[in-house]
Amino acid sequence: MKRKIAALILGTSFVLAACGGGGGSDSKTATESANGPEVFKQNCSSCHGGDLKGGYGPSLEKVGAEHNAEEIQKIIENGKGNMPPNILGGDKAAEEAVAKWLSEKK
């Protein structure tokens, strides 16, 4: 039982650390430019892979075929599954830039 609790705590810590936790100094630098690919690289690639093929998080190679930019932005804002909400610290320009860029992946 103790091992399961320890694994849960460790796993949760990993998700928060790997996915940026919603706004460290790297996040601020990336979001100031609102460059979709750069913001993704600095905040999302640790879970979704630099090549969009997935890892801890799902593949996003063809996410634009499933979701439009507005839907993707809502996922970024609200989280989904193991992805925490406000992964970009509520920076609307960064959210829009990443959502637009990802919506083109079909």
Side-chain angles (χ1 to χ4, degrees), residues 86-99:
N86 292 313
I87 198 74
L88 299 179
D91 184 327
K92 297 296 180 196
E95 292 169 359
E96 288 176 17
V98 172

Side-chain angles (χ1 to χ4, degrees), residues 44 60 63-64 66-80 83-104:
C44 312
L60 299 177
V63 70
E66 299 174 27
H67 302 286
N68 63 34
E70 184 178 312
E71 293 169 333
I72 294 170
Q73 186 171 351
K74 286 186 182 195
I75 292 170
I76 294 169
E77 292 171 356
N78 301 319
K80 184 176 180 180
M83 181 178 154
N86 292 313
I87 198 74
L88 299 179
D91 184 327
K92 297 296 180 196
E95 292 169 359
E96 288 176 17
V98 172
K100 181 177 184 271
W101 179 69
L102 287 174
S103 70
E104 298 167 358

Side-chain angles (χ1 to χ4, degrees), residues 31-71:
T31 57
E32 286 175 352
S33 66
N35 177 313
E38 188 63 28
V39 173
F40 178 89
K41 179 181 174 186
Q42 291 186 7
N43 295 279
C44 312
S45 64
S46 61
C47 290
H48 295 286
D51 57 3
L52 304 176
K53 291 185 180 182
Y56 183 77
S59 169
L60 299 177
E61 290 180 292
K62 297 182 181 181
V63 70
E66 299 174 27
H67 302 286
N68 63 34
E70 184 178 312
E71 293 169 333

